[in-house]
Amino acid sequence: MTGDTLAAESEATAAPLPRRRLLPSGHRLGVGLLALLAAAAYSVLGLVKLATFRASVFDLVIVDQAVRNYANFRPPYVPAVGSFHHRGLDYLQLADHFSPAYALLAPFYWVHDGPESLVVAQALLFAAAIPFVWLFARRVLGTGPAYLVAAAYAVSWPVAQAAAFDVHEVMFVPVLTAIMIERYHADRPLPAFAAMFGLLLVKEDMGLMIVGFGAYLFAVGDRFRAGCCAAVGIGGVLLTRGALIPMLGGDTGDFWAYGHLGPDAPSAVLALLRDPVSAVQLLFGAEDKVDTLFLMVWPTLLLCLLSPLTLAALPHVLERMLSDRVPWWQADFQYSAFTVVILLCAGVDGLARLLRLLRRPGDRSLGLAWSVAVCAVAVTLVPRFALDQLYHPSFYKGDEARIAAAREAVSKVPPGVVVEAVNSAGPALTSRATVLLWTGQSRGAPWVVADTARWEFPFGSAEDQAAQVGRLVAEGYAKVFERDGYVVLHRP
């Protein structure tokens, strides 16, 4: 079954879109306004956190260092990661995560050279998926439901969590998957598969998502393209993980999170095949996993499970849930944003399949009722996640005494130096200094910005941080500033 056949299945429920225009002229303003409002909300969320010292070295400074180097036509060195892994200040971002897509953000730094540009760019990219989600939903369900589904994506909890937690390569994925799904459904294979290839430039494991999309194509009868997707996806993973990352100086073992299954991918797969019962138990064996899995499918009222399109999300979900990394399972971080568009579009397709099964394919009332419910569920989840902060005045103020102390502390560090900075202070320095993450092991930087009052990654406690300051003073560092827990140290 091709994209043309899939589109034909939904002709009874919506009028066809004009072939030469992506968005109908009568809806450009509405869809554009929705996307603009979403981008503004995501930008405010990230910019306030940055201004109030709630962003972090890991990962905002890492991406900032890579993109700043791209903007200055240099290799994407990330000293923060290189020093953390003891691999030197000339460690390449591509050796950590294979994300050459970050180079596309360089023009933002030509306008404003600072991490604020990354926050805004990420917000725009998340919002850029909205027109394609709208187009897909309109073609299947009609115009009214399309706006409701697009609004549900705009306030969805996975995007909210990703927008609130610094910046990450996931920013490229919703729009690319939305283009891939919508353009394929519209029988426009060239942009669909161009977006699919673009995923390979986002992260080294995105080939697995392409394999998943191939499984979807196989399920709907497009066997030749399914085979091509499988080959491209598997080849992409083998090339990036097996060749490019080691060649660039990285270690694929840094992110091997399946030691409980075996030392490498083949042994892990064999372990799962030998004992499928244990594999199922591993998927659902922790409360965090069950909560996250439910939260991923509930926004579609579980109808995504009726669509083969969900197969496109399956490899990434398995990659997370079978790992031994607790943050990968949880809903608090950015990982669910990789698959949010896939599952939402699968929900739309699942409803269409259910209506055909009930012999009511043209029933617009059911489509509208489901879309209203989906939007309502998305809105009811807002208070549980990051967008909830936007309507609380305290979010914009933060801890004023702490913020004032942090600003004064970072002002003591001169420009152009290397500085080890506590995780929350690094983003304020990265535009004018080479920032390394302050840890329990000194990197010998002439400047250190520490915090002894509040726990910061990667320390075990604030007491450990205070002890590290004591060790640095014993090694010859002098205190040049101390206030509200912040300590600035300097060693000539």
Side-chain angles (χ1 to χ4, degrees), residues 440-444 468-478 491:
Q441 182 174 355
S442 175
R443 267 65 182 179
Q468 176 63 7
V469 169
R471 286 190 290 269
L472 292 174
V473 170
E475 291 173 9
Y477 282 86
R491 182 172 67 182

Side-chain angles (χ1 to χ4, degrees), residues 26 30 63 74 105 111 160 174 176 185 189 218 221 224 247 289 357 423 485:
V63 182
R74 297 190 297 259
L105 305 183
V111 177
L176 288 175
H185 187 259
F218 186 87
F224 175 74
M247 181 181 71
K289 293 182 181 181
L357 184 65
N423 198 33

Side-chain angles (χ1 to χ4, degrees), residues 46 49-51 54-68 78 80 109 114-119 122 165-168 171 423-424 426-428 430:
K49 288 206 162 191
L50 176 59
R54 283 176 277 183
S56 59
V57 173
F58 275 33
D59 292 305
L60 182 57
V61 168
I62 295 171
V63 182
D64 170 82
Q65 290 175 340
V67 176
R68 175 174 284 104
V78 282
Y109 273 61
E116 298 84 0
S117 294
L118 294 178
V119 173
Q122 176 172 264
F165 188 57
D166 288 349
V167 296
H168 301 86
M171 69 176 79
N423 198 33
S424 61
T430 186

Side-chain angles (χ1 to χ4, degrees), residues 316-382:
H316 191 268
V317 173
L318 292 175
E319 182 185 21
R320 293 174 61 190
M321 299 301 161
L322 294 174
S323 75
D324 59 10
R325 306 286 174 90
V326 176
W328 292 10
W329 315 338
Q330 296 174 332
D332 297 335
F333 301 100
Q334 75 276 14
Y335 303 107
S336 295
F338 282 95
T339 52
V340 60
V341 165
I342 297 172
L343 294 176
L344 189 58
C345 290
V348 172
D349 182 55
L351 175 65
R353 291 173 183 274
L354 179 61
L355 291 176
R356 289 197 296 273
L357 184 65
L358 297 174
R359 301 184 186 278
R360 300 175 66 177
D363 192 332
R364 290 177 176 268
S365 61
L366 284 179
L368 181 60
W370 176 83
S371 303
V372 169
V374 163
C375 191
V377 167
V379 171
T380 59
L381 287 174
V382 166

Side-chain angles (χ1 to χ4, degrees), residues 92 140 227 246 253 447 480:
L92 291 169
V140 177
W447 289 88
V480 298

Side-chain angles (χ1 to χ4, degrees), residues 176 179-185 187-198 213:
L176 288 175
I179 293 170
M180 180 176 70
I181 292 167
E182 189 280 325
R183 290 290 83 190
Y184 178 78
H185 187 259
D187 197 28
R188 301 291 194 278
L190 184 59
F193 289 105
M196 184 190 76
F197 275 99
F213 190 67

